[in-house]
Amino acid sequence: MLSLSLSSPNPRYCLSNPFSLVTNNPRLHVFTNDQYAGVGITSPEEPIVTPVGLHRELMPKHVAVIMDGNRRWARSRGLMPQAGYLAGVGALKVVVDLCRKWGIQVLTVFAFSSDNWLRPKVEVDFLMRLLESTLKDEVASMSRDEIRVSVIGDISKLPPSLRDFITHCENTTKNNSRLNLVIAINYSGKYDIVQACQSICQKVKDGEVEPEEINEFMIDNELCMKLIRFPDPDLLIRTSGEIRVSNFFLWQLAYTELYFTETLWPDFGEDELLRAFHTFQQRRRRYGG
């Protein structure tokens, strides 16, 4: 079992209680008895800051991130994978705070792929506990910092206590508007398209839509990001040197600018984010034109 006294992650990366897991019953996205009521805090909004060398009008509105390289970061230090995930939480906190300060409207992070269930059970269980404890640790500060949290993906397979707290976190932060933080958990780009098609097929069956009326805009509006009314990403960042999208936003990335870096996710910070934004602002987006 991972000990937080390992010489590895910097203390700022470590959670106060990364192993806690409360077990409850309720179903997916149905939260009626809010045991966490009163956690949220609000405070005056800070002014938006544009980093030196960047242009406000060219900043991406929606940034998506594939947070890759946590396990390799741990292995390179002779540590267990859990240490890498803990360090990755620290990197995520830094990126969320920078996006909030710099006026990014939407930040989507790929936290857990539907393909990740194939990993060792002990690792998956740790990730589920880590997701829950991170949300619990951060919900108050996200409320204070005007960050709205939304979760996309099939959460029906998640532990009940995690499902409950996801619903609580979404409800607590739903009126915040400084930054929209979208967390993809048990998400699959392929299934996102499948469920959109299934929804449209049901509408055809019910006589609401004629088959010849189906077009790309109708499919687009049935995808998970449109269901929560956010635009497609302007910029996708993937860390760790892998040059692929790994079943993430397969439809939504059609005109997204892609940025790949060798940096492992736990080492990704302000300098790397600035570099990604500089690269983005140097590109000409033509949208096929």
Side-chain angles (χ1 to χ4, degrees):
M1 186 171 182
L2 177 67
S3 168
L4 295 186
S5 63
L6 287 170
S7 59
S8 54
N10 187 298
R12 72 185 178 89
Y13 293 133
C14 296
L15 302 177
S16 59
N17 188 14
F19 300 103
S20 65
L21 179 61
V22 182
T23 305
N24 291 319
N25 271 330
R27 275 200 44 94
L28 152 79
H29 269 67
V30 177
F31 196 86
T32 54
N33 183 17
D34 192 345
Q35 59 186 303
Y36 307 104
V39 173
I41 302 172
T42 58
S43 71
E45 188 173 309
E46 300 175 26
I48 291 174
V49 175
T50 303
V52 176
L54 293 179
H55 302 281
R56 174 82 258 145
E57 68 276 10
L58 296 179
M59 293 291 278
K61 294 179 175 61
H62 183 176
V63 178
V65 183
I66 299 177
M67 306 179 291
D68 198 19
N70 296 305
R71 294 190 296 178
R72 273 171 280 173
W73 183 94
R75 282 198 299 268
S76 70
R77 290 160 173 76
L79 303 170
M80 292 184 293
Q82 290 91 330
Y85 294 125
L86 285 168
V89 169
L92 177 58
K93 291 179 183 179
V94 169
V95 170
V96 168
D97 190 52
L98 290 171
C99 286
R100 180 186 65 83
K101 290 178 178 176
W102 296 349
I104 303 303
Q105 295 177 13
V106 185
L107 171 65
T108 299
V109 294
F110 201 6
F112 189 85
S113 167
S114 59
D115 301 318
N116 291 154
W117 294 107
L118 298 175
R119 293 185 178 182
K121 185 177 183 302
V122 64
E123 187 174 328
V124 171
D125 289 346
F126 177 84
L127 284 170
M128 294 298 108
R129 294 194 297 269
L130 183 60
L131 285 166
E132 182 176 349
S133 61
T134 300
L135 287 174
K136 287 181 176 179
D137 286 348
E138 299 301 319
V139 66
S141 61
M142 288 189 291
S143 294
R144 182 183 61 243
D145 292 336
E146 281 292 306
I147 297 172
R148 175 187 174 186
V149 178
S150 302
V151 173
I152 58 173
D154 179 10
I155 71 168
S156 65
K157 295 182 180 178
L158 304 182
S161 60
L162 175 55
R163 296 201 307 258
D164 289 349
F165 204 81
I166 285 172
T167 302
H168 161 72
C169 204
E170 290 178 327
N171 289 337
T172 299
T173 64
K174 65 183 178 182
N175 294 321
N176 295 343
S177 58
R178 175 65 179 254
L179 170 67
N180 293 288
L181 173 61
V182 182
I183 307 173
I185 304 176
N186 195 24
Y187 175 84
S188 160
K190 291 180 179 179
Y191 181 72
D192 197 5
I193 297 171
V194 169
Q195 66 83 25
C197 293
Q198 289 173 336
S199 178
I200 294 171
C201 287
Q202 186 62 49
K203 291 180 179 180
V204 171
K205 183 179 178 181
D206 294 341
E208 299 175 22
V209 173
E210 294 297 324
E212 58 271 17
E213 295 176 333
I214 300 172
N215 55 37
E216 64 181 83
F217 301 105
M218 188 177 294
I219 296 173
D220 193 58
N221 285 326
E222 294 292 339
L223 297 171
C224 61
M225 286 302 288
K226 288 299 161 48
L227 293 176
I228 55 176
R229 307 186 181 214
F230 293 143
D232 293 340
D234 299 299
L235 171 66
L236 170 73
I237 299 171
R238 177 164 188 160
T239 58
S240 86
E242 304 293 350
I243 306 177
R244 55 178 179 267
V245 296
S246 296
N247 200 15
F248 182 50
F249 280 173
L250 300 182
W251 180 282
Q252 296 90 333
L253 295 178
Y255 292 105
T256 299
E257 297 297 322
L258 309 180
Y259 178 84
F260 300 100
T261 173
E262 297 285 336
T263 302
L264 301 178
W265 175 247
D267 292 327
F268 191 92
E270 182 172 357
D271 290 344
E272 277 289 345
L273 190 60
L274 281 170
R275 193 170 296 116
F277 285 3
H278 275 293
T279 301
F280 173 81
Q281 295 197 350
Q282 291 166 4
R283 296 180 184 177
R284 293 183 60 190
R285 306 188 70 193
R286 299 182 178 87
Y287 301 97

